Amino acid sequence: SCCYVSRRLNQLSSHDPLWKRHCRKYWLLSDAEKTRRNQSWKAIFISIYSDLGRYIQYYATLKKAWDDLERYLGQRCPRMIGSLKDSVQEEDLDAVESQIGCKLPDDYRCSFRIHNGQKLVVPGLMGSMALSNHYRSEDLLDIDTAAGGFQQRLGLKQCLPLTFCIHTGLSQYMALECVEGRNKYEIFYQCPDQMARNPSAIDMFITGTSYLEWFTSYVNNVVTGGYPIIRDQIFRYVHDKECVATTGDITVSVSTSFLPELSSVHPPHYFFTYRIRIEMSKDALPEKACQLDSRYWRITNAKGDVEEVQGPGVVGEFPIISPGRVYEYTSCTTFSTTSGYMEGYYTFHCLYYKDKFFNVIIPRFHMVCPTFKVSTARMETNHNEYAMDEDEDSTDTDEYEDRRRVLDIPAPSGRCPRHT
């Protein structure tokens, strides 16, 4: 606009270094890209703006997120990079809008101008979760598959699936309109109300307020190491830095995750899994080698109800810990309240002094159900008919425990029965 005011402003507004700053800020272009294009910074800016101008407030953030994710996964699980699809064009997104009869948010459209989701493969880009008898891995859907799953039925009206798990059928949805108690562009897991007679009574576990916030926060957790890479998959365990305790030469740390596909609001049943890492310092003396004998848990729900669990080993095993060795395992628990915490200790005996026993502290770790919304169909019914029962006790469920990963330690046989 300035260039039309005066000759001098016309000259100034064509000054290429000004456009270089904009090209770097909005399109993340490098000097190497400018050399490849063999154009001035101004010409490059205008060329890209003519194609992506409507996304100028989102493009740099989403492009950086995608670049960071590709760079990180390229080093740790390159197979996943091969499942990503190339970008789509504006006419493809416009065609989807015509097909579903709803406008797509610009941040969602912008992301698909960079990558059109991924192929339906395992593992999925949006994270995995594995227990001994349960597995989930979510793919980021391409635009055509998402459009094919667009919902118009009661309970999920005007909702577009963002992810899909081929094992469980689980999806995260984005609301494209403010209907059935949802905010526009809110992202959620559906949770059928098992106590309602109305099949359209679907509660929601909220996972994001917009596509930009949802996607970039996930990528940040991945590339900062917040979500561990295990067996070439992203596992959505969250580690609280406070959940670490050291006893002598042994450190115990805990990360947790909420599983919406195994949870419900009605009846109240909130399912959490936790991953525990037990490590002996590499500087410990060889005679500090020891073996785990038993575990003790103190489990407290949001109402203050306490349950104590004690039993031999963990996941039916009695791991040996020696200097520099690591033992990891996964287990789970359920609460009838929306939050709770666990703490306890392991009992070990020394291998060199077999009559010497000692306890290793397990730090207190909290588990909190994500924000949820109750179905509008439920709110329109008689609340007394569907009163919530929160008297169920929480449980430490060893029978769901995943196989542990031990570094250089042979796997002992047998499994530990629940609560024994």
Side-chain angles (χ1 to χ4, degrees):
S1 298
C2 289
C3 75
Y4 293 106
V5 176
S6 69
R7 180 177 299 175
R8 180 59 179 152
L9 284 177
N10 185 284
Q11 294 172 341
L12 289 172
S13 64
S14 297
H15 189 52
D16 220 34
L18 296 177
W19 294 98
K20 176 179 180 179
R21 183 173 61 184
H22 286 319
C23 283
R24 287 183 167 177
K25 177 180 178 180
Y26 295 111
W27 313 130
L28 304 184
L29 290 182
S30 64
D31 290 329
E33 178 64 16
K34 178 184 184 299
T35 301
R36 188 188 70 80
R37 286 174 175 257
N38 195 28
Q39 293 177 293
S40 68
W41 287 111
K42 179 179 180 180
I44 292 173
F45 183 92
I46 292 174
S47 173
I48 297 177
Y49 187 86
S50 65
D51 182 29
L52 298 170
R54 69 181 290 181
Y55 310 123
I56 194 165
Q57 62 178 312
Y58 302 117
Y59 183 85
T61 302
L62 287 166
K63 184 67 165 67
K64 182 179 185 303
W66 274 112
D67 288 348
D68 290 347
L69 186 61
E70 287 186 79
R71 187 162 44 248
Y72 185 84
L73 296 179
Q75 298 172 352
R76 291 162 180 82
C77 36
R79 183 179 57 163
M80 195 177 294
I81 298 298
S83 72
L84 298 181
K85 292 189 170 186
D86 293 335
S87 63
V88 294
Q89 300 304 311
E90 286 296 289
E91 53 267 27
D92 300 317
L93 296 167
D94 292 341
V96 166
E97 288 185 340
S98 298
Q99 176 185 339
I100 65 178
C102 281
K103 290 291 184 183
L104 300 170
D106 276 349
D107 52 355
Y108 177 84
R109 290 179 61 117
C110 180
S111 182
F112 282 73
R113 290 300 314 273
I114 301 168
H115 273 299
N116 182 23
Q118 68 173 144
K119 305 168 188 174
L120 287 178
V121 296
V122 175
L125 182 70
M126 303 310 292
S128 302
M129 187 58 60
L131 299 172
S132 60
N133 62 349
H134 178 78
Y135 179 76
R136 177 242 296 172
S137 188
E138 291 183 62
D139 291 299
L140 180 64
L141 293 177
D142 65 70
I143 189 65
D144 291 327
T145 306
F150 181 69
Q151 298 292 320
Q152 290 282 31
R153 62 188 174 95
L154 291 176
L156 285 175
K157 289 184 67 175
Q158 313 290 68
C159 290
L160 183 77
L162 299 181
T163 70
F164 181 71
C165 169
I166 61 177
H167 299 90
T168 65
L170 181 74
S171 286
Q172 293 185 69
Y173 286 91
M174 178 168 60
L176 297 186
E177 299 292 345
C178 294
V179 294
E180 299 179 326
R182 288 180 286 270
N183 295 326
K184 197 171 185 179
Y185 305 143
E186 198 165 48
I187 299 169
F188 63 94
Y189 284 108
Q190 62 166 321
C191 178
D193 186 336
Q194 300 173 25
M195 299 175 67
R197 297 174 184 173
N198 186 345
S200 67
I202 296 176
D203 301 323
M204 296 160 284
F205 291 114
I206 309 302
T207 57
T209 57
S210 70
Y211 183 89
L212 181 74
E213 179 264 334
W214 173 80
F215 184 73
T216 56
S217 62
Y218 174 77
V219 171
N220 182 65
N221 271 318
V222 175
V223 301
T224 59
Y227 291 157
I229 304 292
I230 306 170
R231 296 185 294 275
D232 295 326
Q233 299 182 64
I234 302 167
F235 276 76
R236 282 172 21 198
Y237 283 101
V238 178
H239 174 62
D240 182 348
K241 293 182 179 179
E242 300 297 321
C243 292
V244 178
T246 299
T247 305
D249 295 302
I250 298 177
T251 298
V252 177
S253 59
V254 186
S255 54
T256 63
S257 184
F258 175 73
L259 269 63
E261 69 270 29
L262 299 179
S263 302
S264 68
V265 178
H266 303 101
H269 178 85
Y270 305 102
F271 194 105
F272 299 88
T273 178
Y274 51 90
R275 186 171 183 84
I276 296 186
R277 177 185 175 93
I278 307 172
E279 180 177 11
M280 180 174 282
S281 169
K282 63 181 180 180
D283 298 325
L285 297 174
E287 54 265 30
K288 292 296 184 73
C290 54
Q291 185 171 22
L292 190 152
D293 288 329
S294 63
R295 73 191 186 281
Y296 166 79
W297 286 113
R298 181 179 173 87
I299 307 168
T300 307
N301 68 17
K303 295 190 295 183
D305 299 329
V306 176
E307 179 186 6
E308 295 181 294
V309 177
Q310 192 160 12
V314 289
V315 289
E317 298 175 355
F318 301 86
I320 293 174
I321 306 296
S322 58
R325 297 292 180 88
V326 175
Y327 176 90
E328 294 179 318
Y329 75 95
T330 299
S331 186
C332 55
T333 191
T334 61
F335 289 97
S336 60
T337 56
T338 55
S339 64
Y341 62 86
M342 295 174 62
E343 57 194 329
Y345 59 82
Y346 298 117
T347 299
F348 284 82
H349 75 265
C350 293
L351 295 181
Y352 284 81
Y353 311 99
K354 294 187 182 298
D355 58 343
K356 182 179 179 181
F357 293 82
F358 61 97
N359 294 332
V360 172
I361 294 173
I362 306 171
R364 176 181 294 188
F365 55 97
H366 293 263
M367 290 158 283
V368 180
C369 170
T371 301
F372 63 80
K373 288 186 176 182
V374 176
S375 164
T376 53
R378 163 173 283 273
M379 292 188 289
E380 293 166 358
T381 61
N382 184 337
H383 289 270
N384 293 328
E385 183 179 356
Y386 307 114
M388 293 172 62
D389 178 11
E390 295 199 353
D391 292 333
E392 178 189 347
D393 291 330
S394 61
T395 55
D396 169 29
T397 53
D398 268 350
E399 72 268 31
Y400 289 112
E401 290 177 327
D402 189 17
R403 292 188 63 189
R404 56 70 188 123
R405 178 164 59 104
V406 184
L407 305 185
D408 301 323
I409 301 176
S413 60
R415 291 189 61 81
C416 179
R418 178 180 179 182
H419 291 175
T420 59

